Amino acid sequence: MTEKSITNKEYNLAGGHVRFRFVEGEKNGEEVLVTRDTFFIGRNLNNNLVLDDRSVSRKHAVLNFVNGEYTLSDLNSFKGVEVNGKEVKEAVLHSGDRVRIGATVLEFLEADSASPPAKRRKKCIWPVIFIAIAAVAAVAVFFAIQSFNKGKISKELMREIVYQYSLGIKAYNVNKDIESAKKYWQEVVSMDPAGITIHGRNARILLSNLPGNLNNEPNR
């Protein structure tokens, strides 16, 4: 696997911290560790999680570790992606969530006893700082919700934000087209300058972490 991580994290997610468990079929109960912070799922052998299932697209979905959250994005697959029975283009996963990809059902798991990465350890070492950050975040979320409720982000605009964001994910992860990904995510930021939506916030993070040029590799 030669894909480059979009988030460029320094720590390794291996060791049983995060994993997918097969819920149905012949592999029921088997688990696959998430060992990269950009983790591809699909039918092709060059994916991190290979699903031998004709209903799964060659590059079906990607799990990105962004800003402390695991975000699953559909890569414009034929059958789509469902999380807890609801079809999604993108969703933040939490432990216990059920993900359907084609005919395959996976359970996303995070071990409570796993050794946390550096940023999480700081929460235990510096509880006062954590509480202060949490308070600031709560205030920010409150005002974001107020802004949302006032109609600053309409349903139509929200759909466009999600669409442009997903185009950026596909351009980067599938086509290796950094310039196009940058253009799409900049459009998301321009539509959501206050970072009210998760897509607006993630677009800023992804833009700030874009690496150098990658060679184009078409998705067939």
Side-chain angles (χ1 to χ4, degrees), residues 109-193:
L109 297 171
E110 295 182 82
D112 295 335
S113 60
S115 300
K119 285 189 176 181
R120 296 180 184 178
R121 286 199 298 269
K122 289 181 180 179
K123 293 180 182 179
C124 298
I125 298 173
W126 305 106
V128 175
I129 295 177
F130 168 73
I131 293 172
I133 293 174
V136 173
V139 172
V141 170
F142 172 78
F143 283 107
I145 293 174
Q146 295 303 310
S147 297
F148 184 90
N149 290 335
K150 290 179 181 178
K152 290 188 178 180
I153 300 291
S154 65
K155 290 183 179 179
E156 292 76 14
L157 182 57
M158 185 65 192
R159 282 196 292 268
E160 184 63 20
I161 288 173
V162 172
Y163 177 67
Q164 294 292 330
Y165 182 85
S166 64
L167 287 178
I169 290 290
K170 181 181 179 183
Y172 184 93
N173 287 327
V174 176
N175 301 326
K176 308 297 186 301
D177 187 349
I178 290 180
E179 289 305 315
S180 292
K182 181 178 179 181
K183 179 186 70 174
Y184 291 128
W185 289 331
Q186 286 175 337
E187 182 66 19
V188 171
V189 171
S190 70
M191 289 187 290
D192 182 13

